[in-house]
Amino acid sequence: MKYLHTMVRVTDVDASLAFYKLLGLDEVRRIENEKGRFTLIFLAAPGDEAAQVELTYNWDPEVYGEGRNFGHLAYRVDDIYALCDKLQKAGVTINRPPRDGHMAFVRSPDNISVELIQAGDALPSQEPWASMPNTGKW
């Protein structure tokens, strides 16, 4: 058995791609299925193409319920503070700031929770993250 990917449904391809690219993921392949009326976009972190996220875009509009039972995607990052700063400057809400220098949560444009975990030991606590409150759900 081999892990292939995790699928999340998206409603705006451009907004979703922009978000996941800010996280550092690259598009590795795309499938347009006119008969099935959907697009599949596979993303992966550079050097880790075996662990992919599949963005599924159905061409006919649907309303998707937000299910917390999905859980979240998780990525190890080299510098959690730098990535959170980059995301925040691009307009992404840091739902659970990296107060501990170890873990943060953000959400995609389709409300998919994404956990960011600092590689190695936690970074020393620093502002503005140390005193930043949680925002919304994560």
Side-chain angles (χ1 to χ4, degrees):
M1 185 179 297
K2 179 183 177 182
Y3 171 80
L4 296 177
H5 62 265
T6 297
M7 183 274 275
V8 294
R9 295 185 192 283
V10 301
T11 57
D12 183 327
V13 170
D14 293 335
S16 293
L17 279 176
F19 173 80
Y20 289 104
K21 286 181 180 188
L22 277 171
L23 285 177
L25 302 184
D26 294 327
E27 183 173 331
V28 294
R29 70 184 165 116
R30 182 183 291 229
I31 299 169
E32 302 277 346
N33 187 311
E34 191 166 330
K35 184 177 179 184
R37 301 190 48 75
F38 62 84
T39 301
L40 306 178
I41 303 168
F42 294 86
L43 308 169
D48 195 15
E49 286 77 18
Q52 297 182 6
V53 173
E54 172 193 319
L55 306 182
T56 297
Y57 174 72
N58 292 309
W59 300 357
D60 300 316
E62 290 182 47
V63 176
Y64 302 115
E66 182 182 336
R68 286 286 290 164
N69 61 338
F70 166 76
H72 60 267
L73 303 174
Y75 291 97
R76 182 176 329 136
V77 301
D78 291 330
D79 185 333
I80 197 163
Y81 294 141
L83 180 56
C84 285
D85 184 59
K86 175 183 171 183
L87 293 170
Q88 189 174 51
K89 285 178 178 170
V92 174
T93 299
I94 309 300
N95 300 98
R96 194 283 191 186
R99 288 183 293 273
D100 55 5
H102 175 70
M103 177 184 70
F105 274 89
V106 295
R107 296 186 85 168
S108 78
D110 293 287
N111 289 320
I112 302 300
S113 291
V114 179
E115 180 180 20
L116 307 172
I117 300 286
Q118 174 63 42
D121 294 334
L123 299 179
S125 182
Q126 70 179 18
E127 294 298 340
W129 314 110
S131 60
M132 186 181 289
N134 292 342
T135 302
K137 298 186 290 187
W138 46 278

